[in-house]
Amino acid sequence: MAQESKQSKRLTMVEIAKEAGVSTTTVSKVLNQLPGVGAQTRARIQRLIEQNDYVQNHAARHLRKGQSGSIDLVIMRLEGGYDLGIMHGVQDALEESGHRLTVFATHENEDTERLWLRRLLDRSTDGVLLLLPYERVGIPNALMEQNIPFVAIGDRNEPTTTFPTIGSTIWLGGYTATEHLISLGHRRIGIITGPLHLTTSRARLAGYREALERAGIGIDPALICEGNYLLGDGIKQTFTLLNQPDPPTAIFTGNDAQAAGVYQALYKRNIRIPDDMSVIGFDDVMYTAQMAPPLTTIHQPLIEMGRMATGMLLRLIAGLPLDSNHVELSTSLVVRESCAAPRTHPLSTT
Amino acid sequence: MAQESKQSKRLTMVEIAKEAGVSTTTVSKVLNQLPGVGAQTRARIQRLIEQNDYVQNHAARHLRKGQSGSIDLVIMRLEGGYDLGIMHGVQDALEESGHRLTVFATHENEDTERLWLRRLLDRSTDGVLLLLPYERVGIPNALMEQNIPFVAIGDRNEPTTTFPTIGSTIWLGGYTATEHLISLGHRRIGIITGPLHLTTSRARLAGYREALERAGIGIDPALICEGNYLLGDGIKQTFTLLNQPDPPTAIFTGNDAQAAGVYQALYKRNIRIPDDMSVIGFDDVMYTAQMAPPLTTIHQPLIEMGRMATGMLLRLIAGLPLDSNHVELSTSLVVRESCAAPRTHPLSTT
């Protein structure tokens, strides 16, 4: 550990680049664990770096570069499995780069957000990962004004922005979920959406409509219920669907929290999943495999989204260009035990 | 924001203390948002601090104090609701003190832990919150050697340590859970413990035994199953209990993840909760209220533990003494919908 405090003559990045006969961009890529450098070159640069104790004192390195060695992740609440999944991926990606992850929860409080923003500018964080709906307090605008690199993550956001964003294929997810139920033989499929002022809630609904239309199944507005992405609305809207003269044989919910509400409502009525009712969720947060029965759902690649967003951010910090300003990773169907063919005689609870 | 970069003559803590006619400890308490300062004195000091731009540039303040303004939270995995609850409390507490929270997940990998430790020493984090079983790589020893303030959090740990720890009243929790089932009329109560090499798993079991003994109910070793705190063992050991000639009418599990496994096993056998079987968990992680039916469980005050651990750490960083080196916060029973009186004729599945 004595070695750690050694402060004697270190090479700068420019000197290492010169010594290795490469560009500073290439050295930067190696330092930041980014792809695009051949194995041999990488090894040579790494040897030089190590010989010169370049990364040993990480704080010093970042200070020399005018960087703090720290990245901020800003989220709304430390509660959901959604945010936890993203954070997991961010951690994975930072493990190699050596940046520290500072986590900040805004609790949807504008004062708290402003406070964070002031501290951020004060302390020169290298970059920011935003896991917030973009409407909040103009954070993206403030970051752009201050030239702080950032990437916005999440399906809760609008895809038409001028800054780097990463999301997942929501519309396709809605289509896939509905198509799965249709393929099992369901014709009356209820949907409990998220808040319909959000583009991504509407994208799920549009995917649902598309699947029904392609299968030649008419759309019954009575089967479309709006929720708020929370458990309570999952319960409430399940009863709305069950209390209809011709209730659905399957329910698709906009997220997994609402699916948990559907489970509770069905359990109360002693309606078995999937025997009497199929249920499919959206997100694939960590507790879905723990539900009884385990929930079939649309997987959002949260860990991968966190990882890729971090990779994009590290490129921005290193001054490298992005391949694309908006990336969507693919959603996919995860079949567990909550969907089956409908009974021959559709369920009637009246 | 222009104000932020102003570097001109600021008072030191000593000067502010002199000006206010108080000790530097009192100024430190106000700066670190700690209790023990009267409202008037606090207001006077705060005015002086503000007039002299003392906290405006937070990074500078910490640098001047030889501090980084950052605290590390070290956990095993970014997965469970347990860690999330603690982190929530830590965030709450740091919101006022202005420290940044750096989160580090070790993934139970010793190399990763060593890497973190090296970086920690390198970057002079102000203090560390440890959410790990203490056996790991002698982290506490390393921190003590380096004089880095830290507090260990969690019920997974041994209570007999020389360094500051915070936990909860586990034995009492085990007693309370079992006593609740007895009060409902249960006499055959199964338990699925955690790994019995852990003191805190044994504490739950000891609480269970105590409650049965006090009620004059004999202890049947066939009703005691060991689990690993994961879902799978919850499922497996539920079947072990159900397949007995005289199965229990209620099951107490060492944590909520195992309770989710109990739910899945019972759902498979179409055994209704709580009508045919009562289930009680331990921890009260965030998804327990989402289970169908919502789980009755023993609440560990995770948020409060996180908050109090942070408060202890801030005192240590400020050079103030702790009231106690080991604190246990009280567990409590949370009654939801998974427990009821047993049926008159005990369930038999054979």
Side-chain angles (χ1 to χ4, degrees):
Chain A
M1 293 293 165
Q3 205 181 351
E4 301 277 340
S5 55
K6 187 168 68 177
Q7 293 286 340
S8 59
K9 61 168 178 70
R10 292 200 188 89
L11 295 189
T12 64
M13 189 151 70
V14 175
E15 289 165 328
I16 285 177
K18 206 173 153 192
E19 188 89 12
V22 298
S23 68
T24 51
T25 307
T26 304
V27 177
S28 170
K29 278 181 184 171
V30 173
L31 281 169
N32 292 289
Q33 313 269 351
L34 293 166
V37 184
Q40 279 198 325
T41 309
R42 188 179 292 272
R44 193 168 71 245
I45 294 170
Q46 244 150 9
R47 245 190 335 268
L48 274 169
I49 288 168
E50 276 160 30
Q51 283 164 6
N52 291 283
D53 198 23
Y54 192 89
V55 283
Q56 297 272 358
N57 190 319
H58 206 102
R61 161 162 93 86
H62 284 287
L63 280 173
R64 195 167 41 248
K65 289 168 73 182
Q67 292 181 2
S68 67
S70 172
I71 279 175
D72 271 42
L73 173 66
V74 185
I75 64 181
M76 286 201 290
R77 273 173 249 101
L78 275 170
E79 277 175 19
Y82 187 94
D83 298 334
L84 205 58
I86 299 283
M87 211 192 298
H88 195 301
V90 173
Q91 282 278 4
D92 280 2
L94 290 182
E95 199 165 305
E96 293 206 342
S97 83
H99 283 79
R100 288 152 62 93
L101 178 65
T102 298
V103 179
F104 183 82
T106 67
H107 303 287
E108 297 185 74
N109 178 323
E110 296 204 1
D111 288 339
T112 312
E113 287 175 4
R114 278 199 206 90
L115 185 66
W116 164 76
L117 204 53
R118 284 193 44 178
R119 287 188 183 148
L120 182 78
L121 300 174
D122 183 21
R123 287 165 178 179
S124 57
T125 290
D126 294 345
V128 176
L129 295 169
L130 277 184
L131 192 41
L132 294 166
Y134 295 168
E135 310 95 70
R136 314 290 306 162
V137 212
I139 286 184
N141 287 335
L143 294 175
M144 280 189 282
E145 272 170 27
Q146 301 287 337
N147 258 327
I148 295 173
F150 72 101
V151 175
I153 311 170
D155 70 312
R156 279 168 264 185
N157 302 311
E158 302 291 326
T160 54
T161 52
T162 54
F163 47 86
T165 56
I166 186 158
S168 66
T169 57
I170 299 298
W171 179 85
L172 202 60
Y175 175 85
T176 306
T178 313
E179 208 286 323
H180 179 62
L181 295 170
I182 294 169
S183 75
L184 290 169
H186 293 276
R187 291 297 171 266
R188 285 195 65 71
I189 299 170
I191 180 170
I192 305 174
T193 68
L196 288 174
H197 69 273
L198 297 178
T199 304
T200 54
S201 299
R202 286 201 302 275
R204 288 162 168 83
L205 179 59
Y208 162 90
R209 286 172 181 278
E210 172 71 15
L212 291 177
E213 276 168 16
R214 273 208 212 182
I217 302 169
I219 286 157
D220 181 352
L223 293 179
I224 300 174
C225 299
E226 185 175 351
N228 60 359
Y229 280 143
L230 301 176
L231 178 87
D233 273 15
I235 299 174
K236 193 178 83 181
Q237 300 296 35
T238 300
F239 287 131
T240 306
L241 290 168
L242 290 176
N243 291 339
Q244 291 182 22
D246 187 9
T249 59
I251 299 175
F252 167 38
T253 69
N255 74 349
D256 294 332
Q258 284 185 165
V262 175
Y263 270 48
Q264 290 193 358
L266 296 178
Y267 199 82
K268 277 235 163 82
R269 292 271 179 101
N270 208 356
I271 296 170
R272 296 275 299 175
I273 306 166
D275 318 64
D276 302 324
M277 181 72 77
S278 289
V279 182
I280 188 164
F282 204 105
D283 281 352
D284 195 26
V285 297
M286 283 146 187
Y287 61 76
T288 49
Q290 305 206 352
M291 293 167 74
L295 182 71
T296 293
T297 189
I298 297 296
H299 177 74
Q300 287 211 63
L302 301 173
I303 294 176
E304 291 78 5
M305 283 162 67
R307 243 188 247 142
M308 184 167 279
T310 309
M312 288 165 75
L313 183 62
L314 292 178
R315 284 188 70 89
L316 291 173
I317 292 171
L320 300 170
L322 296 180
D323 295 327
S324 166
N325 217 31
H326 179 68
V327 177
E328 287 193 0
L329 299 188
S330 175
T331 52
S332 57
L333 176 69
V334 179
V335 176
R336 295 202 183 94
E337 300 172 31
S338 65
C339 295
R343 291 185 185 280
T344 320
H345 301 290
L347 176 77
S348 177
T349 58
T350 47
Chain B
M1 292 293 167
Q3 204 181 352
E4 300 277 340
S5 55
K6 186 168 69 180
Q7 294 286 340
S8 58
K9 60 169 177 71
R10 291 201 188 89
L11 295 189
T12 65
M13 191 150 69
V14 174
E15 290 166 330
I16 285 177
K18 206 173 154 194
E19 188 89 14
V22 298
S23 69
T24 52
T25 307
T26 304
V27 177
S28 170
K29 277 183 185 170
V30 172
L31 281 169
N32 292 288
Q33 314 268 350
L34 293 167
V37 184
Q40 279 199 324
T41 309
R42 190 180 290 272
R44 193 168 70 246
I45 295 170
Q46 245 152 9
R47 242 187 340 265
L48 274 169
I49 288 167
E50 275 159 33
Q51 281 164 9
N52 291 284
D53 199 24
Y54 193 88
V55 284
Q56 296 272 355
N57 189 320
H58 206 102
R61 161 163 92 88
H62 284 287
L63 280 173
R64 194 167 42 246
K65 289 168 74 184
Q67 292 180 3
S68 66
S70 172
I71 279 175
D72 271 41
L73 173 67
V74 185
I75 64 181
M76 285 201 290
R77 274 173 250 101
L78 275 170
E79 276 175 19
Y82 186 94
D83 298 335
L84 205 59
I86 298 283
M87 211 192 297
H88 195 301
V90 173
Q91 281 279 3
D92 279 1
L94 290 182
E95 199 166 303
E96 292 206 342
S97 83
H99 283 79
R100 286 151 61 94
L101 178 65
T102 298
V103 179
F104 184 81
T106 66
H107 303 286
E108 298 185 72
N109 178 322
E110 296 203 2
D111 290 337
T112 312
E113 286 175 6
R114 279 200 206 90
L115 185 66
W116 165 77
L117 204 53
R118 284 193 45 179
R119 287 189 182 146
L120 183 79
L121 300 174
D122 185 21
R123 286 166 179 177
S124 57
T125 289
D126 293 346
V128 176
L129 296 168
L130 277 184
L131 192 41
L132 294 166
Y134 295 167
E135 310 96 69
R136 315 290 306 163
V137 213
I139 285 184
N141 288 335
L143 294 176
M144 281 189 282
E145 272 170 27
Q146 301 288 337
N147 259 326
I148 295 173
F150 72 101
V151 176
I153 311 169
D155 71 313
R156 280 168 264 184
N157 302 310
E158 304 291 326
T160 54
T161 52
T162 54
F163 47 86
T165 56
I166 185 158
S168 66
T169 57
I170 299 298
W171 178 85
L172 201 60
Y175 175 83
T176 307
T178 312
E179 208 287 322
H180 179 62
L181 294 170
I182 294 169
S183 75
L184 289 169
H186 294 276
R187 291 297 171 269
R188 285 195 66 70
I189 299 171
I191 181 170
I192 305 175
T193 69
L196 288 174
H197 70 272
L198 297 178
T199 304
T200 54
S201 300
R202 286 201 302 277
R204 287 161 169 84
L205 179 59
Y208 162 90
R209 285 172 181 278
E210 172 71 15
L212 291 177
E213 277 166 16
R214 273 209 211 182
I217 302 169
I219 286 158
D220 181 352
L223 293 179
I224 301 174
C225 299
E226 185 175 352
N228 60 358
Y229 280 144
L230 301 177
L231 179 87
D233 272 15
I235 299 174
K236 193 177 84 181
Q237 299 297 34
T238 300
F239 288 131
T240 305
L241 290 168
L242 290 177
N243 291 337
Q244 291 183 22
D246 188 8
T249 59
I251 300 175
F252 167 37
T253 68
N255 73 349
D256 294 332
Q258 282 185 166
V262 174
Y263 270 49
Q264 290 193 356
L266 296 177
Y267 199 82
K268 277 234 163 83
R269 292 272 179 101
N270 207 357
I271 296 170
R272 295 276 299 175
I273 307 166
D275 318 64
D276 303 325
M277 181 72 76
S278 289
V279 182
I280 189 164
F282 204 105
D283 281 352
D284 195 26
V285 298
M286 283 148 188
Y287 61 76
T288 49
Q290 306 207 351
M291 292 167 75
L295 182 71
T296 293
T297 189
I298 297 296
H299 177 74
Q300 287 210 63
L302 302 174
I303 293 176
E304 291 78 4
M305 283 161 67
R307 245 190 245 142
M308 184 166 281
T310 309
M312 288 164 75
L313 183 62
L314 292 178
R315 283 188 71 88
L316 292 173
I317 292 170
L320 300 170
L322 296 181
D323 294 327
S324 166
N325 217 30
H326 178 68
V327 177
E328 287 194 1
L329 299 188
S330 175
T331 52
S332 57
L333 176 69
V334 179
V335 176
R336 295 202 183 93
E337 301 172 30
S338 65
C339 295
R343 288 185 186 279
T344 319
H345 301 289
L347 176 77
S348 177
T349 58
T350 47

